[in-house]
Amino acid sequence: MGAFIAKMLLPTASSLVFLPAASVAAKRGFHTEAMVYFFTMFFTAIFHACDGPGLSILCFMRYDILEYFSVYGTALSMWVTLVALGDFDEPQRSTISMFGVLTIAVRIYQDRWGYGIYSGPIGSAVFIITIKWLQKMKQLRAVYPDKSVYTQQVGPGCCFGALALMLRFYFEEWDYAYVHSFYHLSLAVSFVLLLPKKNRYAGSGENAAKITCLTCC
């Protein structure tokens, strides 16, 4: 019985892997991305807790609302991670980010289970990034960004991201609790890998941007 309960709680516990991703993002200066990861972790954990034994007291919202924000947060996390990877200048960066916030909200409200909930944001972001990087390559007449970005970030990050999506859409019927937990883990790892090592807009040293209670008030 204990093993069964532990298995039922796995998806809830595995949702907490987004917390280290949020911590890494904040440490690298990506505070918006960190906030989105934390948002995803919170609603995903509560959503799965409502399915778990003895945790229904945590369901402070209707089940369908928790489900919506769980899926929305995941898709939005993918979007902001890829936008950060693209390293856009302002105001393009904020414009593209807000475009994703609005369109993903509408798309997921319409359908929360189709392939398009994740393939849409990913495909759109990859298309925008590709155009930007090709333009940079044409200007610089060289590989852009540096080759290390492709080998250390894009390659491994895309592999873990692809693994996460395969687990999510093709293998969950094997054993939902374990497969979905590995899906959470793979997704969080892909976020950390794809996120640039430093946010060039966050400053450095004494000028580094920091989030405190005073800055939020």
Side-chain angles (χ1 to χ4, degrees):
M1 184 64 179
F4 174 76
I5 294 176
K7 182 178 178 180
M8 290 293 293
L9 293 176
L10 260 181
T12 303
S14 65
S15 302
L16 300 179
V17 297
F18 293 110
L19 190 58
S23 177
V24 171
K27 191 172 183 179
R28 295 179 182 178
F30 292 95
H31 301 295
T32 300
E33 290 75 7
M35 189 182 304
V36 174
Y37 298 158
F38 184 83
F39 175 93
T40 303
M41 178 215 69
F42 179 79
F43 280 101
T44 301
I46 298 298
F47 168 66
H48 287 300
C50 290
D51 286 330
L55 295 178
S56 58
I57 191 174
L58 297 176
C59 302
F60 63 96
M61 290 183 177
R62 293 203 320 266
Y63 186 82
D64 61 322
I65 295 178
L66 293 173
E67 178 187 58
Y68 173 83
F69 282 123
S70 173
V71 178
Y72 175 69
T74 303
L76 188 59
S77 295
M78 296 176 182
W79 179 261
V80 297
T81 302
L82 291 172
V83 171
L85 175 66
D87 195 27
F88 294 93
D89 296 320
E90 291 291 353
Q92 289 89 350
R93 179 176 178 174
S94 56
T95 302
I96 293 172
S97 297
M98 185 54 63
F99 173 79
V101 169
L102 299 176
T103 55
I104 292 172
V106 175
R107 175 65 182 86
I108 293 177
Y109 184 82
Q110 181 183 14
D111 177 19
R112 301 174 198 174
W113 297 107
Y115 297 120
I117 58 175
Y118 299 141
S119 63
I122 292 173
S124 300
V126 169
F127 178 73
I128 296 171
I129 291 172
T130 301
I131 292 177
K132 192 246 184 177
W133 286 4
L134 287 176
Q135 288 177 340
K136 279 286 187 179
M137 289 181 188
K138 185 177 180 180
Q139 293 174 1
L140 300 173
R141 297 184 180 276
V143 175
Y144 180 89
D146 190 75
K147 291 181 180 179
S148 61
V149 174
Y150 292 99
T151 57
Q152 298 176 16
Q153 290 179 238
V154 177
C158 288
C159 287
F160 274 97
L163 173 62
L165 293 178
M166 288 175 61
L167 292 173
R168 167 68 175 79
F169 288 106
Y170 297 108
F171 296 104
E172 281 194 343
E173 65 273 9
W174 286 10
D175 193 315
Y176 177 81
Y178 291 115
V179 173
H180 199 77
S181 297
F182 277 111
Y183 156 69
H184 287 160
L185 178 61
S186 301
L187 198 59
V189 171
S190 73
F191 292 158
V192 172
L193 290 172
L194 288 171
L195 206 63
K197 304 300 181 185
K198 185 70 178 176
N199 184 359
R200 61 189 176 99
Y201 292 105
S204 59
E206 296 181 355
N207 297 322
K210 296 180 180 179
I211 298 296
T212 64
C213 293
L214 293 176
T215 57
C216 292
C217 296

